[in-house]
Amino acid sequence: MFLKTTIDDIAKMAGVSKSTVSRALNGTGYISKEKKAKILELVKIHNYVPDSKAINLSKKKTMTIGLVLPSVAGPFYSEVIQGVEEILSANRYFTIFMTFDENSSEKNRERYISLISSGRVDGMIIFDPEVNESTVDKVMKFEIPIVYLGEDIHGMNVDTILVDNFNGAYSMTEHLIKIHKHERIAFITGPAKSFDSVERLRGYKFALENNDIKFDANLVCRGDFTKESGKKATELCLKNGASAIFASNDEMALGVIEELERRKINVGKEIAVVGFDDAFWSRYIQPPLTTVHQPMHSIGKMAAKTILDRMNSNDVVKSPMRIVLSTRLIVRNSCGCEIGFTN
């Protein structure tokens, strides 16, 4: 007696999930042409006859979207969350939050891959600052809509939403050069593997080059996007003769300002300090922080809209979208300007 081929058998042979097999059988849903063809070929070869339960499996929705963030603390992530929730709640979707354990990148990825494979979410928005192509490949095998935030993932079939870090940093550096005539501009980086950090450093260096200022590696100080790392980097910036300090996020800029105040150095008059983010508190500190605004709320809204669009679209072979949101310069007093203005 021959054993009847099951949906599990087809899924294993095709290297996909049961819900992906169901979408192929049902003729709708989020699945690539190649995988659909492979599944239907296996169905034909093994004479698999789907029952109604298997066909309807793909129609079930959890009405839940996963949101993976490095943290929920700080203004950046809270505004992203607000943007996501604004769109999803209006469309009657719930959100499952997952945050990272700072000490285990691989464990974090295993956790969000496990959440996707559990079938508890219809789509996933992921902010993984150090994501690699191997992880993206694993995630995309589950054939649900995925949006990655903040990472430019080349050559992978995944939607991404980015901020124009390069031009934001370029504009800030050029402001210090052209308006305030600085040439000894120190730059405090974020984590070495962070795409945001790399792009902001690249923008800083390109602005120096375009203004005929020789790049000095001694003026690049390592940070990790925390206030404490900004404080620690300040000493090296001063030691190497910086007349201006560009911290690549506002948290580090705050650390720089606190350290300079401790040393009785007047920020804005004796030395310029600028940041990147435009955190809600940046306008209230003394002196108010000159910074680069990135549209955090819009990032969240755009991510949620993209997920919903993918789930509701009949065009299952859409090319991946790469959305880049503009930044803008917010000039206040910490750079030396007397009157704040927006450029």
Side-chain angles (χ1 to χ4, degrees):
M1 184 175 70
F2 293 101
L3 292 175
K4 182 180 178 181
T5 303
T6 68
I7 189 172
D8 293 281
D9 297 327
I10 298 296
K12 286 177 183 177
M13 287 185 282
V16 299
S17 66
K18 288 194 294 182
S19 60
T20 301
V21 175
S22 297
R23 284 193 290 274
L25 296 171
N26 206 41
T28 60
Y30 193 86
I31 181 172
S32 68
K33 279 185 175 179
E34 293 79 7
K35 286 188 178 179
K36 183 176 180 179
K38 183 178 181 180
I39 290 166
L40 295 180
E41 180 67 17
L42 288 168
V43 166
K44 182 179 178 181
I45 291 170
H46 296 279
N47 296 313
Y48 171 63
V49 179
D51 57 24
S52 59
K53 184 178 179 182
I55 293 174
N56 290 328
L57 180 63
S58 65
K59 296 181 180 179
K60 294 180 180 178
K61 285 187 176 182
T62 66
M63 300 304 291
T64 303
I65 303 298
L67 177 57
V68 180
L69 297 171
S71 170
V72 293
F76 181 91
Y77 301 117
S78 64
E79 288 195 41
V80 171
I81 291 169
Q82 288 171 16
V84 169
E85 284 280 81
E86 181 179 322
I87 299 300
L88 293 185
S89 61
N91 287 273
R92 299 183 179 181
Y93 275 82
F94 298 97
T95 310
I96 291 181
F97 295 100
M98 197 199 100
T99 56
F100 285 177
D101 175 352
E102 293 181 3
N103 300 316
S104 180
S105 295
E106 288 308 312
K107 186 177 179 182
N108 291 328
R109 294 185 183 109
E110 288 174 7
R111 286 173 60 215
Y112 72 69
I113 290 172
S114 176
L115 177 59
I116 296 169
S117 66
S118 71
R120 294 169 61 198
V121 294
D122 298 326
M124 185 81 88
I125 299 167
I126 304 171
F127 196 140
D128 183 350
E130 298 179 12
V131 69
N132 52 51
E133 289 189 2
S134 173
T135 300
V136 176
D137 189 51
K138 289 177 184 176
V139 165
M140 296 309 294
K141 285 181 179 177
F142 293 101
E143 295 283 355
I144 68 168
I146 302 290
V147 175
Y148 270 95
L149 304 182
E151 292 295 310
D152 197 0
I153 304 169
H154 293 289
M156 303 296 288
N157 189 34
V158 63
D159 295 328
T160 54
I161 300 176
L162 315 169
V163 167
D164 191 353
N165 291 287
F166 174 84
N167 279 311
Y170 182 95
S171 297
M172 179 60 79
T173 307
E174 195 162 73
H175 174 80
L176 293 172
I177 295 168
K178 291 192 171 181
I179 303 300
H180 298 286
K181 310 305 178 185
H182 288 289
E183 293 189 5
R184 300 289 294 170
I185 304 170
F187 186 87
I188 305 177
T189 70
K193 293 182 180 180
S194 165
F195 176 78
D196 289 348
S197 176
V198 170
E199 284 296 286
R200 291 170 196 177
L201 176 60
R202 196 167 69 87
Y204 156 81
K205 292 169 74 173
F206 196 60
L208 295 179
E209 180 184 334
N210 273 9
N211 287 276
D212 299 319
I213 298 174
K214 185 178 179 181
F215 170 70
D216 184 350
N218 292 320
L219 287 173
V220 176
C221 307
R222 291 293 166 194
D224 60 12
F225 285 159
T226 64
K227 185 170 76 170
E228 281 305 310
S229 70
K231 286 183 177 181
K232 290 177 182 177
T234 303
E235 182 176 0
L236 185 58
C237 294
L238 296 174
K239 180 181 176 181
N240 289 317
S243 62
I245 300 176
F246 182 2
S248 59
N249 81 338
D250 286 355
E251 284 286 328
M252 293 193 298
L254 180 59
V256 171
I257 289 172
E258 289 183 0
E259 180 61 22
L260 292 172
E261 286 180 345
R262 190 185 70 80
R263 294 169 180 255
K264 309 297 182 186
I265 298 173
N266 191 307
V267 176
K269 293 185 178 179
E270 295 178 75
I271 189 169
V273 178
V274 299
F276 199 115
D277 278 344
D278 194 23
F280 75 92
W281 47 259
S282 61
R283 71 194 66 184
Y284 301 117
I285 63 173
Q286 290 301 321
L289 182 65
T290 294
T291 184
V292 177
H293 175 82
Q294 53 176 330
M296 298 168 280
H297 188 262
S298 296
I299 291 169
K301 288 178 66 175
M302 185 66 70
K305 286 178 180 177
T306 302
I307 283 285
L308 295 177
D309 176 66
R310 288 301 198 191
M311 289 193 299
N312 296 326
S313 175
N314 291 321
D315 183 2
V316 296
V317 292
K318 275 186 179 179
S319 297
M321 291 189 292
R322 180 180 181 272
I323 301 168
V324 182
L325 301 180
S326 298
T327 57
R328 72 177 189 271
L329 199 60
I330 305 294
V331 179
R332 300 188 179 110
N333 305 116
S334 67
C335 63
C337 285
E338 293 297 326
I339 301 173
F341 62 93
T342 301
N343 183 11

